[in-house]
Amino acid sequence: INTLPYNTCSTAAGTAAKTVSAGDFALETGATVIVKFTNTNSAANPTLNVSGTGAKAIYYKGAAIAASYLKANYVYTFIYNGTQWDLIGEINIYE
């Protein structure tokens, strides 16, 4: 499995296309990335593009994530399922 260390995403809050530069990375089913966001996302239907491998939708519990789910200074783990990035673990959507 393609596992990456901690990465930082500093894409602007209102930009849906979130990007992370993770060096030598191959997008494949099961690839895992750990990302800290410096801005709380405010864009609808955000995507994640890791090292230029293409923007893929971000899902949480089977649905596209809402604009406010990715919080500034939080660290999230994503697993690529072959179609989209799945945000794993529990998140506090009300904070």
Side-chain angles (χ1 to χ4, degrees):
I1 294 178
N2 188 354
T3 303
L4 297 176
Y6 178 89
N7 300 278
T8 301
C9 176
S10 58
T11 303
T15 301
K18 307 301 181 191
T19 60
V20 172
S21 180
D24 188 23
F25 175 79
L27 184 62
E28 58 190 32
T29 300
T32 303
V33 293
I34 300 168
V35 181
K36 178 180 180 181
F37 290 85
T38 58
N39 300 300
T40 296
N41 177 58
S42 62
N45 302 309
T47 60
L48 184 61
N49 185 343
V50 179
S51 295
T53 56
K56 304 296 181 190
I58 301 171
Y59 273 59
Y60 179 65
K61 294 186 175 183
I65 65 168
S68 62
Y69 279 24
L70 302 175
K71 306 289 186 188
N73 300 314
Y74 278 62
V75 177
Y76 301 96
T77 302
F78 300 93
I79 296 178
Y80 186 66
N81 70 8
T83 303
Q84 72 233 3
W85 288 105
D86 287 324
L87 173 58
I88 62 169
E90 294 298 318
I91 60 172
N92 184 351
I93 60 174
Y94 303 106
E95 189 174 280

